[in-house]
Structure formats: structure tokens, C-alpha cells
């Protein structure tokens, strides 16, 4: 890696670059190689003994993954990081590293579906238990602590309810009780929110979303405290969920434009949220930078802008939700989010269809609720598409 400096966020995202090869390329090339060669026996010995920092095998490290990691580390204000083949690869490896049989996790109920599956379906096999807390009940945290509680885990903003959790309050709680504080910062990106400043020990991302931002590749990353990352790294390199150099190259290039893209995503989203709020067929709209959002002040405190996800409820319930999805012409009906293309989903009939009514309420999903991932198309075209579908 070229020497770091005190550049600001946007500059770091562009000027953090691996060393040039003898070809003096301006833009980073892709290093598609599974292994690296040694000079002699001594070079080999010293490399394996980690007496020198160098690449050995691409499951351990690669120049492209190192560049991607270095950028995210700087953006999040972290000490070190590990990259993964997907966001879930990062979530799983991080927990698997930190936890032992018999440990207990405190987690916000509003977590990504596959994370919920880890907590409820797989971790119990290894005697790891999880207790959920509601996003608006942080004052109850104390009562949920157990002697074996090891860590506390949150996402903010949440999916798909777009609730905001107070990271500073949770950071203080974690510190007081000696818990490891983990944040899935995927919806905010490090451009809008840096959880380490509020006390997070580790920050996890699905780089598949706004980091790539163009719906091309899967990727994941965990960054944070050096000693914890060291353990996560060793777990990752032995278990093999490594990020491919090609995907790392795509992601590192994407980060060069993260700030400008996310600025525009947020500008479009705020405009659309304001328009939706005035539409007669919409009961409510939830967007962190709308004054009507229940945690608006908190969002202003811990986020630079409101993000690109809006949730809103149609007046006609489940049936209206399905009709609306069918009437949409331009926005994509797709499971992804954080793409340059706007994407709509109807959680009650898809991602969250197996939840009971009570469970749905806990994560802020109603039958007529729509989740909109606002893209980078002209906001007038996105609005025309939504308005036409609302009137259909
Ligand atoms: C998508 C997502 C994940 C999982 O990431 P993948 O790259 O799909 O494995 C985890 N957390 C959140 C909040 C997500 O949106």
C-alpha cells in the first residue's frame, strides 16, 4: 500500500492505492493469481513466519483485497479489516471467531433475514443463544444481560423498518458491561455513519449493496480493533470465505465514487419521501431525514444524510401492496438494494411472509408496507413510476 496521509474521506477513497507494478499503471490492475512466488528458502521461511508482510496465497491475502480493505479501514476510522466473499460470510465468520459454546448474544430484533437465521437456526446447534431486544426499548437492555453475554449486535437504519438505534447509548452500555459491540453498517455506509466513533468494536458490511452500488458483485468486510480483527482474519483464512481479487477490484473502484453516489441517492430519496408523504393513498412514510420520523433527531445526530431506503404503507393493505408491485413499470422488482437502479419490494408477501403478525409488528412491517431502495435515475422518472402505480 502507498503511504497513507491525512487526506479527507473522498480523497482517501481515490488515492489509497496499491504500489504500482513495473508497468507504472495509473489505475489499479487486477491480480488474478491464486498464489505468489518466493525468492529462496529463507524468503519462504520468513514469509510463513510472518516476519514480513507479503502475499502468499490468495485465500490469505491478495493485493486487490488488501487495497479494498485499506480503503474501508480508513473510511470507518478502524485499525484493521478482513474481507469476505459476501456480507453473510463476514457476519458468520465474525461471530464464529468471537463466540464459544455456551456464550450469549444480545441483538436488536430488526436484523437481516439470514443473520436472524444464524441466530435462531444454526447457533443453537453450538449452544450459542441469542436474546432479541426491540429497537425502541434500549432502557430494557440491562434486564436482558446474562453472565455469559459476550456481545451486542445492531443494524441502523434497520431493514426494512428504517428505524434508528442510538449507537452512542449502546456503545456506552457495551463498555460498561465489557461486551463486544458489533454494528452492521450496510444501510448507512461509512460515508453517512461511522459506528466506531460511537464505541463500536467491529463494523460489518455487505459490500454488495451501496459499496458496489451497481448490482454487480457480492462482497463483505469486517473492520475494527486490531486484536479482534487478527482473530477474525485467522478464522477467515482457514475457513475459506475469501473475497475474489476480481470482486475486490470492482469494489475498490466503486469506493472511489461512494461519496458522490450516496449524496445523490440520499437527495433523491428525501425528495421522494416528501412527495410520498403528501399522497392520499399513502398512510405513512418512514425516512430518517423526514421530520415525521420517530427518531429524526437521533438520525440527525449520528448520520450525515438519511440513506437511500424509504418504507411506506399503502392505505389498502396486502392486496394494495401486491397491486402496486404489479403496476410498477420502471423500478425493479428485485431482492437487492443499494443499486443505481431503484428497487421495490413488498416484505409482507416475500422476505417476511413467514413471520406471524406479532413478529412482523416487532420489526415494523405491516401488510401494506413497501420498501423502496432509491436509485440514481432522475427522481422525476422514479416519482412518475410510483405515482402511476399508486393511481392504478
Ligand atoms: C444484504 C445484507 C447482508 C448480507 O449481505 P450479502 O452480501 O448478501 O451476503 C447483511 N446485512 C444487511 C443489512 C444486508 O442488507
Amino acid at each position: 500500500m502507498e503511504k497513507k496521509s491525512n487526506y479527507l474521506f473522498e480523497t482517501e477513497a481515490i488515492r489509497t492505492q496499491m504500489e504500482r507494478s513495473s508497468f507504472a499503471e495509473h489505475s489499479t490492475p487486477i491480480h488474478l493469481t491464486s498464489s505468489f512466488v518466493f525468492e529462496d528458502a529463507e524468503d519462504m521461511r520468513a514469509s510463513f513466519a510472518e516476519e514480513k508482510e507479503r502475499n502468499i496465497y490468495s485465500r490469505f491475502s491478495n493485493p486487490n483485497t488488501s487495497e479494498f480493505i485499506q480503503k474501508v479501514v480508513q473510511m470507518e476510522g478502524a485499525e484493521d479489516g478482513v474481507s469476505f466473499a459476501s456480507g453473510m460470510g463476514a457476519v458468520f465468520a465474525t461471530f464464529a471467531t468471537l463466540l464459544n459454546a455456551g456464550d450469549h448474544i444480545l441483538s436488536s430484533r430488526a436484523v437481516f433475514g439470514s443473520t436472524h437465521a444464524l441466530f435462531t437456526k444454526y447457533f443453537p446447534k453450538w449452544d450459542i443463544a441469542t436474546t432479541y431486544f426491540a429497537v425502541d426499548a434500549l432502557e430494557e437492555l440491562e434486564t436482558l444481560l446474562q453472565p455469559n453475554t459476550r456481545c451486542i449486535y445492531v443494524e441502523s437504519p434497520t431493514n426494512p423498518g428504517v428505524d434508528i438505534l442510538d449507537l452512542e447509548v449502546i456503545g456506552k452500555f457495551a463498555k460498561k458491561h465489557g461486551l463486544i459491540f458489533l454494528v452492521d453498517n450496510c444501510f448507512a455506509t461509512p460515508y453517512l455513519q461511522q459506528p466506531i466513533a460511537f464505541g463500536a468494536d467491529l463494523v460489518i458490511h455487505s459490500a454488495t449493496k451501496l459499496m458496489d452500488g451497481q448490482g454487480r458483485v457480492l462482497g463483505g468486510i469486517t473492520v475494527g480493533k486490531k486484536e479482534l480483527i487478527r482473530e477474525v482474519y485467522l478464522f477467515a483464512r482457514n475457513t475459506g470465505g475469501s473475497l475474489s481479487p476480481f470482486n475486490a477490484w470492482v469494489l475498490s473502484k466503486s469506493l472511489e465514487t461512494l461519496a458522490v453516489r450516496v449524496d445523490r441517492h440520499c437527495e433523491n430519496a428525501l425528495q421522494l419521501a416528501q412527495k410520498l408523504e403528501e399522497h392520499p393513498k399513502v398512510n405513512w412514510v418512514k425516512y430518517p431525514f423526514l421530520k415525521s420520523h420517530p427518531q429524526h433527531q437521533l438520525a440527525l445526530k449520528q448520520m450525515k444524510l438519511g440513506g437511500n431506503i424509504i418504507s411506506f404503507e399503502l392505505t389498502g393493505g396486502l392486496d394494495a401492496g401486491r397491486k402496486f408491485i404489479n403496476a410498477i413499470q420502471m423500478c425493479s422488482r428485485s431482492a437487492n438494494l443499494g443499486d443505481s437502479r431503484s428497487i421495490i419490494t413488498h416484505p409482507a408477501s416475500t422476505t417476511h411472509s413467514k413471520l406471524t403478525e406479532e413478529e412482523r409488528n416487532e420489526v415494523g412491517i405491516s401488510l401494506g408496507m413497501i420498501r423502496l431502495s432509491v436509485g440514481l435515475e432522475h427522481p422525476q422518472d422514479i416519482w412518475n413510476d410510483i405515482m402511476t402505480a399508486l393511481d392504478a
Side-chain angles (χ1 to χ4, degrees), residues 43 198 287 293:
D43 183 28
F198 299 108
Y287 182 70
H293 190 287

Side-chain angles (χ1 to χ4, degrees), residues 10 13-14 27 67 71 251-260:
E10 290 80 350
I14 292 166
S27 176
E67 184 182 288
K71 282 189 186 180
L251 292 168
S252 184
K253 293 305 279 178
S254 294
L255 289 178
E256 293 183 13
T257 56
L258 183 75
V260 285

Side-chain angles (χ1 to χ4, degrees), residues 23 52-53 65 67 70 78 95 117 138 166 193 204 214 223 238 247 266 282 285 291 303 307 322 329 354 367 386:
F23 292 113
K52 45 170 109 172
E53 206 173 296
T65 57
E67 184 182 288
Q70 190 57 40
F95 278 112
L138 298 188
D166 194 324
Q193 170 177 288
I204 301 175
Q214 289 143 88
V223 301
N238 284 310
N247 286 5
C266 296
V282 174
V285 180
K291 286 202 182 69
M303 295 175 74
R322 291 171 58 95
Q329 304 272 321
K354 292 196 188 76
L367 293 175
I386 289 171

Side-chain angles (χ1 to χ4, degrees), residues 63 87 94-95 115 219 313:
T94 305
F95 278 112
T115 305
E313 186 186 60

Side-chain angles (χ1 to χ4, degrees), residues 221-286:
I221 187 162
T222 302
V223 301
K225 294 229 167 85
K226 211 174 187 69
E227 66 277 9
L228 294 174
I229 287 295
R230 171 75 186 158
E231 296 305 314
V232 178
Y233 166 72
L234 291 175
F235 182 91
R237 86 178 225 180
N238 284 310
T239 52
S242 316
L243 180 63
S244 91
F246 177 80
N247 286 5
W249 177 83
V250 171
L251 292 168
S252 184
K253 293 305 279 178
S254 294
L255 289 178
E256 293 183 13
T257 56
L258 183 75
V260 285
R261 286 187 289 107
V262 172
D263 269 336
R264 183 64 72 87
H265 274 290
C266 296
E267 191 184 313
N268 287 357
L270 180 61
Q271 262 190 50
L272 288 164
Q274 285 165 340
K275 286 183 171 156
L276 278 166
E277 230 178 7
E278 281 160 23
H279 198 284
K281 286 195 179 157
V282 174
N283 274 340
W284 51 256
V285 180
K286 231 155 130 199

